[in-house]
Amino acid sequence: MNADRRRAFPVWLAIVFAVVCGAGVALQSRVNGELGARIGDGFTAAVISFGSGLLILLVALAVAPAGRRGLGRVLRALRGRELRWWYVCGGAAGAFLVLSQGLTAAVLGVALFTVSIVAGQTVSGLVLDRIGIGAGGKRALTPARVVGAALALVAVTWAVSSQFGSGVPVWMMALPLIAGLGIGWQQAVNGQVRVVAESALTATFINFVVGTTVLVVLMVVHSSIVGWPTALPTEPWLYVGGAIGCIFIAGAALLVRVLGVLVLGLATVAGQLLTALLLDLLAPSAAHPVALSTVAGTVLALVAVAVASIRWGSPAGRGDATKAS
């Protein structure tokens, strides 16, 4: 997709789609967190989620010739060094996100988990847009973007403040923050793979192959040490996390070229935050109620989204779009 086609796609519509994708991520966090809690093993829950998504994509690839042709294009680009090898490793970041969901989301609650992701997404989006990693190329480091990123960091600090001294391990609060950093990188590199493959299906499939491989290795090591789960829950809704992930990753690969990493991340975050807070308020899964600081941190994170999106349609907001390779 060239620059003219990117501008022809309405930015407001791309933002709406990104918000919907973000709502799906919050729902995925609840599903995978509950699955991990029921099994008692976040590693196995992550493999089930990613593995089910990979099965869905294998079926889609079997009936979609464009996706298979895309795999050929990516392989040729890798052999010719037109595409750097680490661009196809975005699935490792997705694997870490799903693993963190299975390990911590049920304990922290979806709202707090999601606010922690916000800071990581915002900071990584800001940096990656500035250096030009991703299909959208370099985008200017505007004051609005810097202020938005700073507000997001304040928001996550405020949101997690209620957990200090509550017995929740610090690593549980840090894990989603690190996962958020990875999401920005994943969206950037998957977007570049989609451009080379000329297929979002191809980019999503490669993402799931890499992520599933990483998670299977971790699960085998972990289970060899602590033992394997003895039973799996029977509720069907606990196994839809992979399908949700397919939609989110494919959508992000398409939208990153229109919005850039930062604005895509923040629009996604808006959907995540609102849905996560509603889930924790209407159907809480954590052992503790939603704290006022979590609600306040969520509101401030939404403000960060709005601030960072100011003047997005202006030349200063877009910056020079130069293709990353």
Side-chain angles (χ1 to χ4, degrees), residues 126 140-150 307-308 310-311 316:
L126 190 73
L141 191 66
T142 64
R145 289 175 175 230
V146 175
V147 172
V307 170
I310 290 174
R311 295 178 61 83

Side-chain angles (χ1 to χ4, degrees), residues 68-83:
R68 298 194 297 274
R69 288 194 295 269
L71 284 175
R73 294 188 186 98
V74 171
L75 289 174
R76 287 192 294 273
L78 288 171
R79 286 197 296 265
R81 298 187 178 181
E82 299 167 13
L83 185 70

Side-chain angles (χ1 to χ4, degrees), residues 1 6 9 14 17-18 21 57 87 90-91 133-137 139 183-208 244-261 264-265 268:
M1 183 186 298
R6 185 181 70 241
F9 191 91
F17 287 156
C21 287
L57 291 167
Y87 272 95
I133 295 179
R139 295 173 189 267
I183 288 176
W185 178 74
Q186 179 192 35
Q187 291 172 343
V189 296
N190 282 352
Q192 183 66 17
V193 173
R194 191 209 66 81
V195 170
V196 172
E198 300 179 17
S199 168
L201 173 59
T202 301
T204 309
F205 175 75
I206 292 173
N207 183 93
F208 270 77
I244 296 172
C246 290
I247 296 170
F248 168 71
I249 293 171
L254 287 167
L255 297 171
V256 68
R257 189 164 175 81
V258 179
L259 298 176
V261 181
L264 170 62
T268 303

Side-chain angles (χ1 to χ4, degrees), residues 26-40:
L27 184 60
Q28 184 193 46
S29 296
R30 165 57 59 86
V31 170
N32 289 343
E34 187 66 22
L35 180 61
R38 297 279 192 93
I39 297 175

Side-chain angles (χ1 to χ4, degrees), residues 161-231:
S161 62
S162 64
Q163 297 294 340
F164 290 109
S166 65
V168 177
V170 174
W171 69 265
M172 280 197 171
M173 292 181 277
L175 212 59
L177 177 66
I178 298 170
L181 289 169
I183 288 176
W185 178 74
Q186 179 192 35
Q187 291 172 343
V189 296
N190 282 352
Q192 183 66 17
V193 173
R194 191 209 66 81
V195 170
V196 172
E198 300 179 17
S199 168
L201 173 59
T202 301
T204 309
F205 175 75
I206 292 173
N207 183 93
F208 270 77
V209 168
V210 173
T212 301
T213 301
V214 170
L215 288 172
V216 167
V217 172
L218 292 175
M219 180 191 69
V220 170
V221 173
H222 176 262
S223 297
S224 298
I225 296 172
V226 304
W228 297 84
T230 57

Side-chain angles (χ1 to χ4, degrees), residues 282-323:
L282 300 178
S285 65
H288 47 78
V290 178
L292 179 60
S293 60
T294 301
V295 177
T298 300
V299 173
L300 184 57
L302 288 170
V303 172
V305 173
V307 170
S309 301
I310 290 174
R311 295 178 61 83
W312 161 243
S314 69
R318 281 193 301 268
D320 296 328
T322 57
K323 184 177 180 181

